[in-house]
Amino acid sequence: MDLTCTEEEDAFRERLRRWLGEVLPTLPAPPAADDWPGRRAYDAAWQRRLYDAGYAGLHWPEDAGGRGATPTQHLIFLEETERAGAPYVGANFVGLLHAGPTIAAEGSDAQRARWLPPILRGDEIWCQGFSEPDAGSDLAALRTTAVRDGDHYVVSGTKLWTSHAEVADWCELLVRTDPDAPRHRGISWLAMPMDAPGVMVRPLRTLAGSAEFAELFLDEVRVPVSHRVGAENDGWRVTMVTLSFERGTAFVGEVVACRRLLGALASAARANGRWDDAVLRRGLGRLHAEFAALWRLTQWNVSEAAARPRGSGSAIGGVPGTGGSVFKLRYSHARQELYDAAAQVLGAGALDADHEWVAGRLSSLSYTIAAGTSQIQQNIVAERILGLPKGR
């Protein structure tokens, strides 16, 4: 891994800084956290600005609509946008970080031409229909069925924790196309239009009071066979591609955010006198080392993804490896420890319902569950990286 900046990459950083300095002051105030139609419009407008300026899908190859940027340029973009306080991907995250990369890696030319440009422009929002009430972390136990009827699948079942379903245009959907096959076979990956007859969305309110997740009820929804990504019954392998992106590179920007927040926490400790506590200082120092190591692991994962061979389609620099599970496992816990430290630094002030740290702390609780529980990540690390035998 060589991430030393070239003159071209240094120039890229300066251009990006100038652009952010010009554009960010012109943005309207973001909508309320629980206004998802407003947030969709806000996030889509920001994505369109990125697209028009040439920064959308920066690390995607040119034949997928991106700029084919180097891993270092990708990381520079994430660093500079986070430090400048630019909007995050928001409602665009499933399309940009999960579905889009999967379609680029595994989809046909026609599928890439149909779905990738609208994702990059912010024209279409995607949600993720993987988890089910009786098959959360045990994803291979999913029961949503897709019965072939000519040129369509007839889909019935229920999905849970469907991110941004109430404002989405498309859903990356896992279905069982062969009920008699072994658990990890007989699964297919479909792109389902959310306005299809038979789709019902019921928002779920989280502990933080927002409703970015929903239950999804599917009653004989007809999905064209041409919307299947990958071969029929090969959806588990395609799903592993999706999860590799979700666990390997989708949290990159959040590491930068955590490092920034840790710096703010250290400043707060100096201001309120808690910096004199040697135990607290050691704790903050350990977290500083944790996030520095996670950033290096992020750089390694991004570089590895760029160097890996492409799949059957025009992959976005290749698919992240199992190192993403190592990152996801440690990052989930480090993020929670960051907010534990915030409570020590801020004291009773951290319990103020309007304090930004409260929302961050509540959100951090989900990270050991979202994108695969920590127990699942431990199994992946043990079995696929360390080669240990499977548990009984």
Side-chain angles (χ1 to χ4, degrees):
M1 179 179 70
D2 181 6
L3 293 173
T4 303
C5 289
T6 64
E7 290 185 6
E8 180 183 357
E9 288 163 344
D10 285 334
F12 170 78
R13 186 188 296 273
E14 289 304 315
R15 288 195 304 271
L16 177 58
R17 282 182 177 176
R18 286 196 300 271
W19 182 78
L20 290 169
E22 294 169 359
V23 171
L24 292 182
T26 70
L27 296 183
D34 59 352
D35 178 11
W36 275 106
R39 291 180 66 178
R40 174 195 162 126
Y42 184 87
D43 295 338
W46 173 245
Q47 184 62 28
R48 183 63 197 222
R49 285 194 182 231
L50 292 174
Y51 179 84
D52 291 340
Y55 292 119
L58 190 68
H59 60 300
W60 293 22
E62 294 181 5
D63 60 5
R67 289 183 55 181
T70 66
T72 302
Q73 287 176 322
H74 180 204
L75 295 172
I76 287 171
F77 173 80
L78 294 168
E79 284 182 303
E80 294 300 326
T81 52
E82 175 58 39
R83 287 171 179 168
Y88 188 54
V89 290
N92 294 302
F93 93 91
V94 173
L96 286 169
L97 305 181
H98 305 168
T102 302
I103 293 167
E106 298 292 334
S108 66
D109 290 343
Q111 289 171 338
R112 289 194 292 270
R114 166 60 187 88
W115 285 310
L116 297 183
I119 289 173
L120 290 175
R121 292 193 301 263
D123 293 343
E124 294 179 345
I125 304 299
W126 285 65
C127 62
Q128 185 180 79
F130 282 14
S131 296
E132 296 186 4
D134 296 319
S137 295
D138 187 13
L139 190 56
L142 66 90
R143 298 179 180 176
T144 296
T145 60
V147 179
R148 185 74 174 262
D149 181 19
D151 293 334
H152 288 79
Y153 290 109
V154 180
V155 180
S156 296
T158 304
K159 295 294 181 177
L160 190 63
W161 309 120
T162 310
S163 307
H164 304 314
E166 60 184 302
V167 295
D169 303 294
W170 293 90
C171 178
E172 52 172 358
L173 185 72
L174 291 187
V175 296
R176 188 163 294 283
T177 41
D178 185 352
D180 298 323
R183 279 165 35 97
H184 293 84
R185 298 176 183 171
I187 294 173
S188 297
W189 196 108
L190 303 180
M192 181 185 72
M194 290 296 288
D195 61 355
V199 176
M200 187 177 77
V201 176
R202 185 164 70 187
L204 295 170
R205 191 160 298 278
T206 69
L207 183 65
S210 61
E212 65 264 36
F213 303 112
E215 290 179 286
L216 195 60
F217 300 95
L218 310 174
D219 183 11
E220 297 188 346
V221 181
R222 297 184 67 84
V223 179
V225 173
S226 60
H227 289 188
R228 187 191 68 233
V229 175
E232 184 171 280
N233 299 328
D234 192 33
W236 185 257
R237 184 190 61 80
V238 178
T239 301
M240 292 304 101
V241 172
T242 304
L243 295 180
S244 292
F245 283 112
E246 184 177 35
R247 296 164 185 169
T249 56
F251 292 107
V252 173
E254 298 193 29
V255 176
V256 181
C258 284
R259 297 181 78 184
R260 177 178 57 81
L261 291 173
L262 182 59
L265 199 58
S267 297
R270 292 186 180 96
N272 66 17
R274 287 185 168 84
W275 191 252
D276 295 334
D277 185 335
V279 174
L280 185 142
R281 285 202 312 275
R282 281 197 297 271
L284 294 180
R286 185 184 61 77
L287 282 171
H288 176 80
E290 285 271 8
F291 284 109
L294 282 167
W295 181 242
R296 290 302 184 191
L297 181 58
T298 293
Q299 292 174 310
W300 188 87
N301 283 337
V302 170
S303 296
E304 183 198 31
R308 287 172 69 87
R310 293 186 175 189
S312 58
S314 179
I316 298 179
V319 176
T322 50
S325 289
V326 176
F327 169 84
K328 169 62 171 60
L329 177 62
R330 187 55 216 150
Y331 170 72
S332 299
H333 293 272
R335 184 181 177 93
Q336 293 181 357
E337 291 164 12
L338 172 64
Y339 285 97
D340 288 341
Q344 296 177 31
V345 171
L346 300 175
L351 299 178
D352 185 341
D354 296 326
H355 202 291
E356 62 176 330
W357 291 97
V358 173
R361 175 54 175 150
L362 293 177
S363 173
S364 75
L365 297 175
S366 69
Y367 278 72
T368 48
I369 301 173
T373 66
S374 290
Q375 291 78 11
I376 292 292
Q377 306 308 322
Q378 288 169 341
N379 282 345
I380 292 173
V381 171
E383 296 170 7
R384 301 185 193 175
I385 299 178
L386 300 179
L388 299 177
K390 292 187 176 183
R392 295 180 178 179

